[in-house]
Amino acid sequence: MMEIVDNRHNMSQYKQNSEDGGYMEQEEEWEREGLLDPAWEKQQRKTFTAWCNSHLRKANTNIDNIEEDFRNGLKLMLLLEVISGETLAKPDRGKMRFHKIANVNKALDFIANKGVKLVSIGAEEIVDGNTKMTLGLIWTIILRFAIQDISVEEMTAKEGLLLWCQRKTAPYKNVNVQNFHLSWKDGLAFCALIHRHRPDLLDYSKLSKDNPLENLNLAFDIAEKHLNIPRMLDAEDINNSPMPDERAVMTYISSYYHTFSGAQQAETAANRICKVLKVNQENERLMEEYERLASDLLEWIRRTTPWLKNKTTDNQLATVQKKLEEFRAYRRVHKPPRVEQKAKLETNFNTLQTKLRLSNRPAYIPTEGKMVSDIGNAWKGLEHAEKGFEEWLLSEMMRLERLDHLAQKFKHKADIHEEWTKGKEAMLQSQDFRNCRLNEVKALKKKHEAFESDLAAHQDRVEQIAAIAQELNSLDYYDSAGVNARCQRICDQWDRLGSLSQKRSSALEEAERVLEKVDLLHLEFAKRAAPFNNWLDGAREDLVDMFIVHTVEEIQGLVEAHEQFKQTLGEADKEHSSIASLSQEVQSIATQYQIPGGIENPYTTLTARDITNKWTEVKQLVPKRDQTLQSEQQRQLRNEGLRRKFAEKANGVGPWIEQQMDSVAAIGMGMSGTLEDQLSKLRQYENAVNVYRPHMDELERTHQEVQENMIFENRYTHYTMETLRVGWEQLMTSIHRNINEVENQILTRDSKGITTEQLNEFRVSFNHFDKNRTGRLNDQELRSCLVSLGYSIRNDKQGDSDFRRIMNIVDPNNTGYVSFDTFLDFMTRESTDTDTAEQIIDSFRILASDKPFITADDLRRELPPDQAEYCIQRMAPYKGPNAVVGALDYMSFSTALYGESDL
């Protein structure tokens, strides 16, 4: 192409005489310089004769000798009428010399009236058969009617014809067209012109520069046989001549130009149709891909949502833990690809809509239920179910953990109580006091009083057991039936013990009126041993009592309470020693005075050994309790470390995400350099997010460790894993959305040919009136923006009507808002040209040779195979007048491309 451009500077050599009729002056100049080849006259005579006959045969005549047959002026006038399409003055039919001169002058006057300057050419020379003058006159006619109208890039005549030849032959090997003589000697240039327009007529790759005669004859034969171009040149003359006659070559090549100009028009029409059909095929592919992706994503959401909404369990901790593991796998493995699929779906949809707008097509409306908003609503429903499912899992974990703790506590207290009640009913129903002495009766009475005191002390324990059972029921414990049955047995037994105790008390009161002797020592022992024994039982229960804590403060409270308990052990040891001394004193007195049954305490079943054993057990349990509390304290300290570890990472990731969101939002305002700069920055942020992803993964692993250690609160950070996940997904979505918007703006700019300055002006004006930075304008803001850009919108009814027309274009759905993409599309469409249905109809009409229908053969001949079949399958049969078999209606097809249809 550079070679072609450079050759334009050499074309000035052709301007001298060739376009102003100065034929004779040029001939004389070449003759003086010794450049005039005698063979030229022979070449011109043959070429000009063939050229004249190619036109005269339209009038059913021809010439044999160019010098003789034009002498009377009649065929000369006929030639001018044929090539001009006009009628000359009536010729003189006489055969005298002055008649012939008059006819030739009429021809010369007609040529002069066409603005052609005739130099040194007179009617007498033509009548006398002057060869040079006759050839000069015919050359002048050829220049005016065959070459002068040739125009290529505002270059005319010979310059334009040479530039046309250079462009058409530029891709061909061994062809370098610089002139109209030497550049054509080997015949390859003629073959290149034919192959460029009709590659089916010859195989250029088989031609050789070493076979000029074969090349020339091949080109001349094909042109005459297939292109209807007469054989105006002789191959031997061209090959043997040192410099072929350029007038003869130009005359012959001009026939090529006029023959192929019609094919060029058809090629242009075919290219336009191919372009439109290619756009339509690509749009249909994007629509099908969107439908497929949307269906797949919605089906996945439909299958997943019921699983997230299923909040049933068998009330066992292991089952809930398994569900939690499945939920984590869903978060890590199954959901991320769907997030990417959703982003890709939205990107494809926006790209499709942009391409439809740029190609002047109607907006794409997905099938019902597959709109972007439908997918967004389904996604929101999924995330809502996901959040509810996670909250339910965590609360269920806490509930079941507490249930397990309460169940074990219930069992422990119930075991102690049932152990205490063993034999109590038989003891209360015993009639042993009937044969006892007074002191024995009194002892039995005191013993019973001690029992009643013990029974009253156990009332609180029974109430605790009942309260625990009630709480297990309220929390839906899986073995509530077993708990209720055992609790009922305890309560029923407790009622029986109360009733039996009251009956025995009444019986002893009746026997006391007879028996008076009381063993004060046994009584004192019983009175002091019973509460101490009860304290020992309570202490043993407390020391082995199970507990659950979640913070260091809670375990510290238990440690402090235990330390306070240990401080009371000194007083308890004194009480134990005092009670033991009472027993020792009783034994001493009984031994000393030989009291029958005096060693046995009639007031209590407790013995000093029982108290001592329990006291020993309590002292052994204290260090075990110390160890248990210390272990739990260490565990809580480790949990505190996990809280700090998570908080440290979260407090780093959270601000980073917020900073990236702010940066991406700033780029989205479009005030940061060119679109390519914005796209580059967004790509950098996208890469930065991918590089930063390991921090997020590490935080997920820390969060999993926190959950596995049952840590539910963290006072060291306000960030939660859920908020960070949402922020991360919003950042990814924002980057992808902004990249898509910038790419669409670049596509709009490039396809519409708008400058960067125009695009920046549109963006600055849009942002100026977008006060709230929402990325859209309402109708009043848009009106102000258009006025600021130079639109004349008057404040009257006509101005309101004009603005409503604009709103119908940019907001066809009456949403009340206009996005920047829509605003940019409107501004570019106002100043650029796009393909229309009328243009496509005109293009098809050219291919159909002005017929109102087109055939499948026409389409297959002019269009690529895939696009030809595309049209054939979609065009309706033509039913108008003069229709042939297989006629297709290209008008309705073209209209459907730009309207609402099934295509």
Side-chain angles (χ1 to χ4, degrees), residues 313-317 396 399-411 468-484:
T313 179
D314 58 0
N315 286 321
Q316 296 192 35
L317 188 60
E396 192 69 5
R399 184 181 72 83
L400 292 178
E401 184 184 29
R402 177 163 178 77
L403 273 177
D404 188 66
H405 169 70
L406 287 174
Q408 294 185 37
K409 189 172 184 179
F410 173 85
K411 181 178 181 300
I468 293 173
Q470 183 177 0
E471 187 171 1
L472 287 171
N473 277 278
S474 64
L475 294 176
D476 195 21
Y477 180 59
Y478 76 97
D479 193 21
S480 295
V483 170
N484 292 336

Side-chain angles (χ1 to χ4, degrees), residues 574-618:
K574 293 180 182 179
E575 182 66 11
H576 170 259
S577 299
S578 176
I579 293 173
S581 65
L582 286 175
S583 178
Q584 292 171 1
E585 185 178 358
V586 167
Q587 187 174 6
S588 176
I589 294 172
T591 303
Q592 181 179 359
Y593 297 101
Q594 297 296 315
I595 300 173
I599 298 177
E600 298 178 359
N601 193 327
Y603 302 107
T604 182
T605 59
L606 292 173
T607 64
R609 180 177 295 179
D610 295 333
I611 298 299
T612 300
N613 290 339
K614 289 183 178 183
W615 172 245
T616 302
E617 182 181 357
V618 167

Side-chain angles (χ1 to χ4, degrees), residues 416-430:
I416 293 175
H417 176 76
E418 289 174 348
E419 181 66 26
W420 177 82
T421 58
K422 283 183 179 179
K424 293 296 190 291
E425 289 186 70
M427 182 270 293
L428 292 174
Q429 293 173 347
S430 174

